[in-house]
Amino acid sequence: AIDEARPGPGALTVPVPSLVPGGAITTALGPGCGSPAPALAANGAPTLPNPAFALDLTAAPSASLLLFVAPTGASVALAPGCLQHVANQGLVTLGFLVADGSGTATTPFPLPANLALEGLTLHWQGAEFVTGGPVFANFALTNGIATRLACR
């Protein structure tokens, strides 16, 4: 709402719909690589709390996958056209996943009701094991995403 600077006829306050730099958001960091490139997407809003928050990786059916998270992003060339979107500092491998018959692997990442996490941004990227892949001849990379945590 905007308050009137000089009192006069009309409303003293005018509502103005707008977007502000806050709240829970998911941002694309850049594309993946491979042929076809596996994909990563947030499955829900990164709000606190959200016990159902998860990440979906889409790859070849029955593919072997890794998921990484870091508190900071990066743009490191690992191979021609292949960028690492998560920084090495603070990098955590969340686990080994196997895609189902349709090529999807979902990993839950429940977000607690912890106000101290408000504003935390996490950077995510996945890798699919691919013989002869573009990264180290063994991997294809997903796109990168960043999620900023916020209260509902």
Side-chain angles (χ1 to χ4, degrees):
I2 297 175
D3 291 334
E4 197 174 310
R6 296 183 184 158
L12 295 176
T13 302
V14 179
V16 179
S18 63
L19 296 175
V20 296
I25 59 169
T26 298
T27 306
L29 298 177
C33 65
S35 185
L40 175 65
N43 184 346
T47 54
L48 301 170
N50 185 352
F53 184 76
L55 292 142
D56 291 335
L57 289 102
T58 306
S62 303
S64 299
L65 305 158
L66 292 170
L67 180 61
F68 306 98
V69 63
T72 54
S75 185
V76 178
L78 297 179
C82 294
L83 293 177
Q84 175 181 328
H85 297 290
V86 292
N88 288 333
Q89 187 174 4
L91 178 72
V92 175
T93 304
L94 290 179
F96 177 78
L97 306 165
V98 177
D100 62 17
S102 69
T104 301
T106 299
T107 185
F109 196 80
L111 300 174
N114 184 343
L115 294 177
L117 298 175
E118 173 86 24
L120 174 67
T121 299
L122 297 172
H123 297 78
W124 308 87
Q125 189 167 23
E128 176 183 4
F129 288 101
V130 177
T131 302
V135 178
F136 310 126
N138 288 306
F139 300 99
L141 299 178
T142 68
N143 55 297
I145 60 173
T147 53
R148 185 173 64 207
L149 308 181
C151 294
R152 293 179 188 239

